[in-house]
Amino acid sequence: MPNIHIPDHAMADPLGYALTRHSPVIGRAAGEFVKSVYQSVRLPLRLAEAARYRIAQINGCLVCKGFRAADHLDGYLDAVGGDRTTSLVARGGERPDEAFYAAIDEWQTSPLLNDRERLAVDLAERMAFSPNELGYDEEFWAKMRAAFDDAEIADLTLAIGRWMAMGRFTHALGLDTVCLPTSAAA
């Protein structure tokens, strides 16, 4: 059950209701941020999904854990007036399968993830668990700069921040207990 009032008629999209009715100005900006990340991030689908899914696990967001960009993103963008032709999914790349998502639990050793995907998950964990140390870890940033260009690092960091914020918002307010993956972008 949600931790804020969501009327019965809005239970099909409680997140949308919370964003547009309870916090319309910030909610509109948050919605645009969601669309921007999924339409503009310059990363391969699997890499983005690796970081996104690890944040979903950390946040505990049920809808985020059930969301699969390759399956749900186009429907979400259609529903919110986004442009599926420029999306993370439209740009192509290998589509993650369920074995890939299961491998995120053992991201450090799983042969199903490549080095860049592991670094993306590592960045996600560090942003979630140790942000104070992250900015000063020269060894980690040397690895990141060797694997990613500056634009990719900026995109990935912003995307992780977005997934952290909206996943925690959705989970903390209990909206993930009534939301379906197709009704909200994780």
Side-chain angles (χ1 to χ4, degrees):
M1 205 61 187
N3 295 320
I4 57 174
H5 177 70
I6 306 292
D8 289 341
H9 74 275
M11 288 303 241
D13 184 12
L15 177 59
Y17 184 88
L19 293 174
T20 60
R21 302 295 182 162
H22 292 310
S23 189
V25 174
I26 298 170
R28 185 171 29 263
E32 288 302 314
F33 192 20
V34 171
K35 286 193 298 188
S36 294
V37 165
Y38 284 121
Q39 292 176 172
S40 302
V41 70
R42 296 165 286 194
L43 300 166
L45 175 61
R46 278 177 50 105
L47 189 143
E49 278 291 88
R52 185 203 61 78
Y53 190 70
R54 183 62 188 122
I55 291 299
Q57 292 175 319
I58 293 166
N59 284 345
C61 178
L62 301 174
V63 71
C64 302
K65 289 193 281 187
F67 184 84
R68 302 292 185 260
D71 298 329
H72 302 124
L73 184 57
D74 287 346
Y76 169 77
L77 290 172
D78 289 345
V80 299
D83 182 2
R84 71 166 49 197
T85 67
T86 65
S87 79
L88 174 65
V89 174
R91 285 190 297 281
E94 186 179 349
R95 296 168 70 98
D97 59 16
E98 287 307 309
F100 171 85
Y101 290 102
I104 302 300
D105 286 333
E106 291 138 11
W107 65 268
Q108 293 173 322
T109 58
S110 174
L112 297 181
L113 277 69
N114 66 37
D115 290 339
R116 282 177 31 112
E117 292 163 352
R118 273 192 266 289
L119 277 170
V121 175
D122 194 5
L123 177 61
E125 281 198 0
R126 288 166 184 259
M127 286 178 66
F129 294 132
S130 57
N132 292 336
E133 296 84 8
L134 176 59
Y136 307 105
D137 189 335
E138 292 179 20
E139 182 179 329
F140 173 77
W141 287 109
K143 290 178 190 174
M144 286 294 291
R145 285 190 300 279
F148 297 95
D149 65 33
D150 289 340
E152 290 174 318
I153 291 171
D155 277 6
L156 180 58
T157 305
L158 284 165
I160 291 168
R162 185 279 210 227
W163 295 318
M164 287 173 59
M166 292 304 295
R168 289 179 184 193
F169 174 85
T170 302
H171 184 63
L173 295 182
L175 303 175
D176 60 335
T177 62
V178 291
C179 227
L180 299 174
T182 55
S183 65

